Amino acid sequence: MSEENRGGFGGRGRGRGRGRGRGRGRGGGGGGREENSWNPVTKLGRLVKEGKIDSIEKIFLYSLPVKEAEIIDFFLKDKLKEEVMKIMPVQKQSSAGQRTRFKAFVALGDNDGHIGLGVKCASEVATAIRGAVTAAKLNVAPVRRGYW
């Protein structure tokens, strides 16, 4: 008994239904790009990637706002250590009961005078931690040490 003789919903994708073809789909495509390539969005990001700004101290010296976490990764990638300080559930009362989300506090630093604190709330713990790490990178500030 062949496919076309049977009833049902049209056999092997002959124009009906959504099928499993290479249609428009949801995101995911984009071709053969590598995942770790950083495309800067801000002017500061472009200057850092081109090598015109050679240290994070120059950014702090001129009080330039850092809006991309990749800038901090560029300078401090291998030295950064992060620690999840606290994860606490927070609840919102809704008509169907409570909606629980998780608030994550993350501190990160390089043990060489740079520290950042990030806070993020999300419906899943892992998402909250990832967002808090990104927020902490955007909040990195220099710490004055010693006697001055």
Side-chain angles (χ1 to χ4, degrees), residues 88-102:
M88 61 186 240
V90 292
Q91 290 186 332
K92 173 184 176 182
Q93 189 69 38
S94 66
S95 58
Q98 293 98 356
R99 192 179 101 213
T100 303
R101 299 172 81 201
F102 298 95

Side-chain angles (χ1 to χ4, degrees), residues 48 53-56 59 71-77 79:
V48 167
I53 296 178
D54 53 355
S55 75
I56 196 168
I59 295 173
I71 294 172
I72 303 298
D73 281 339
F74 185 85
F75 291 119
L76 306 175
K77 180 69 172 172
K79 296 180 272 185

Side-chain angles (χ1 to χ4, degrees), residues 80-83 106-110 114-117 133 136-137 140:
L80 273 183
K81 293 179 181 62
E82 56 200 48
E83 184 170 333
V106 172
L108 62 82
D110 65 346
H114 302 103
I115 191 167
L117 179 68
V133 167
K137 286 178 184 173
V140 166

